[in-house]
Amino acid sequence: RYRELHEIVKDYFSAESTRPTKLLSSEDSKAMAILEQTYKKVNDRYEVGLLWRNQNVKLPDSYKHALNRLMCLQSKFKNNSTLKTTIEAQINNLVLKGYAKKLTLNELEVRYEKTWYLPIFVITNVNKPEKIRLVWDAAAKSNGVSLNDFIMTGPDLLNSLVEILLNFRVGM
């Protein structure tokens, strides 16, 4: 009787055990292919290409919209000098770390096939009013579209909590 019960429990757990399966949509598969083709290690960081939905896309002009948003931000600076110094410090930090750079006049004159100007805005938390966060707005619409409309989100490469818990239960 014990052997029979043991086999039933063993069959139950083998049927219930999880095997991670990564099912990707066609868009996620395309995004993974782009990531695999374009990634490279530069110093201690990884660099990847953008996940364009269509490689031959023609982006509309977004300069005027980004400039208008900058003008709005500058008008806020007139009323709040602390905001200006905080934002300048954050941008200088980005430049110092090598995440951004100030373009030379020659670099400004170069025209690229795909150019999109990202407007910025600031966010403050009511619980932490001294902490100001700079946001690069890829969802901002220019001529009825945003940069996010042209870029794939890519697959979710994180393990789900359910998968982790089931694997823990099975002892994987």
Side-chain angles (χ1 to χ4, degrees):
R1 186 86 181 131
Y2 169 75
R3 172 75 71 210
E4 184 181 337
L5 181 60
H6 176 73
E7 289 301 318
I8 291 170
V9 171
K10 185 177 165 185
D11 288 344
Y12 172 78
F13 279 108
S14 68
E16 286 290 311
S17 68
T18 62
R19 298 286 177 248
T21 56
K22 298 291 181 187
L23 299 175
L24 298 177
S25 67
S26 60
E27 186 174 276
D28 286 348
S29 296
K30 182 179 174 184
M32 285 301 295
I34 292 170
L35 289 173
E36 289 169 6
Q37 292 166 5
T38 62
Y39 85 93
K40 60 184 174 184
K41 192 168 185 177
V42 178
N43 299 324
D44 291 335
R45 300 183 187 126
Y46 284 94
E47 199 174 279
V48 295
L50 290 173
L51 303 175
W52 294 106
R53 291 184 195 279
N54 176 358
Q55 288 295 327
N56 302 320
V57 69
K58 299 288 184 211
L59 299 175
D61 181 29
S62 61
Y63 179 79
K64 289 178 186 172
H65 179 69
L67 184 61
N68 286 340
R69 294 271 295 268
L70 177 62
M71 305 279 249
C72 291
L73 189 58
Q74 285 178 332
S75 68
K76 286 183 181 180
F77 290 163
K78 291 177 184 171
N79 300 330
N80 187 346
S81 61
T82 308
L83 177 66
K84 181 180 180 181
T85 54
T86 304
I87 297 303
E88 284 178 345
Q90 287 184 19
I91 291 174
N92 289 337
N93 187 37
L94 292 172
V95 171
L96 183 67
K97 289 182 176 179
Y99 302 149
K101 72 174 192 169
K102 186 173 182 174
L103 298 179
T104 65
L105 291 176
N106 290 338
E107 290 172 321
L108 280 173
E109 292 176 3
V110 175
R111 296 291 171 229
Y112 294 96
E113 186 178 326
K114 296 176 190 154
T115 301
W116 189 272
Y117 296 91
L118 282 174
I120 59 174
F121 64 92
V122 294
I123 291 182
T124 56
N125 184 335
V126 291
N127 298 323
K128 303 174 194 171
E130 72 285 346
K131 186 175 182 182
I132 296 170
R133 194 168 61 122
L134 189 59
V135 178
W136 306 91
D137 192 3
K141 300 264 183 194
S142 181
N143 296 307
V145 293
S146 71
L147 182 60
N148 285 346
D149 295 334
F150 299 103
I151 305 279
M152 294 181 279
T153 56
D156 181 4
L157 298 177
L158 298 175
N159 293 329
S160 72
L161 182 58
V162 172
E163 184 180 321
I164 292 169
L165 292 174
L166 287 174
N167 285 338
F168 180 75
R169 186 190 98 192
V170 175
M172 294 181 95

